[in-house]
Amino acid sequence: MMLSEKNYSNFNIINHIIISVAIFIFFAIISAIIQLSYVLMKIGWNLESAMNILHENVYYGLEVGSILGSYFSIILVLVIIEYVYKENVYTYLKLNKASITKTLGYLGIFFFWLVSISFLAEKLNIKPLSEGADFAKSLITNETNIIYLFIAIGIVQPIFEEVLFRGFLFEHLERKWGGFITILITSITFSIVHFQYNFFILFLVLFPMAVLLGYSRWKTKSLLPAIIIHCINNSLTLLITV
């Protein structure tokens, strides 16, 4: 049965969610392998020395791993859509143009929410929220290539995450359960896979952001606003950190 048909079973939906999570795991594994290979290449292919370096700085070569890991993972998503689901990539992922006015509107909402969260965190002295900034700082070391880092964390990885969560995962769920449930499920899944953050960041920052990204995808019927907002968020975080 092709995915364009409307009568999906809940079993097929569960399979689709599992495939989506598996793709993210694939991204994590490929990124780690590429990162390790990068370190090995830099120090002369000594595995013990490479592991020691990564033990001291787990983010060494992260930018290279993230760029290539995102690239291969996006390719995997496209292959699954085209050859397994047998659907048109552009139609399925909603890569059509979006209204500039609506995109700017959602971007404005995003900035208002971001400023509000930052203000409340400072006034209420919510210390755990500062871990997000600490994580961004930890990405930047003497060995970090800043240009590659901006490309990786500010552009390529956000594009991959949007293609996966608000594109691949979102489309199939929306056909079965509609917008509201789909936004909720994709937002929860998006938050869970970012388990490196604490509960406060997941609940007060990442989850609301995911809801806004999902809502913009649903209302504009385009993935582009979500990609733009996500890229701007990550790039601004890195820029402020630098």
Side-chain angles (χ1 to χ4, degrees), residues 26-93:
F26 170 83
F27 158 75
I29 293 173
I30 292 298
S31 297
I33 291 174
I34 293 172
Q35 182 182 358
L36 176 59
S37 301
Y38 175 80
V39 176
L40 286 169
M41 183 179 65
K42 293 282 286 187
I43 58 126
W45 301 100
N46 186 306
L47 182 59
E48 183 178 354
S49 298
M51 297 305 295
N52 289 334
I53 289 174
L54 289 174
H55 179 72
E56 295 176 1
N57 177 14
V58 70
Y59 302 119
Y60 190 107
L62 173 73
E63 57 272 30
V64 177
S66 179
I67 291 173
L68 294 178
S70 297
Y71 172 77
F72 288 122
S73 299
I74 291 174
I75 294 298
L76 177 60
V77 171
L78 301 185
V79 168
I80 291 174
I81 293 172
E82 189 75 29
Y83 297 103
V84 179
Y85 286 10
K86 300 186 184 304
E87 297 229 11
N88 181 274
V89 168
Y90 292 96
T91 302
Y92 190 92
L93 292 178

Side-chain angles (χ1 to χ4, degrees), residues 109-110 113-114 117 129 161-162 165-166 169-170 179-195 197-216 229-230 233:
I109 294 172
F110 168 74
W113 162 78
L114 198 61
I117 286 292
L129 286 179
E161 292 184 354
E162 291 311 309
F165 292 104
R166 257 67 61 176
L169 179 59
F170 197 100
F180 286 110
I181 295 179
T182 299
I183 291 171
L184 180 62
I185 293 176
T186 54
S187 298
I188 291 173
T189 307
F190 178 80
S191 300
I192 289 175
V193 299
H194 288 83
F195 58 86
Y197 297 109
N198 63 56
F199 174 79
F200 285 92
I201 293 177
L202 292 178
F203 185 72
L204 297 177
V205 179
L206 284 181
F207 180 74
M209 175 182 170
V211 169
L212 176 62
L213 294 173
Y215 189 80
S216 70
I229 294 172
H230 199 158
N233 171 70

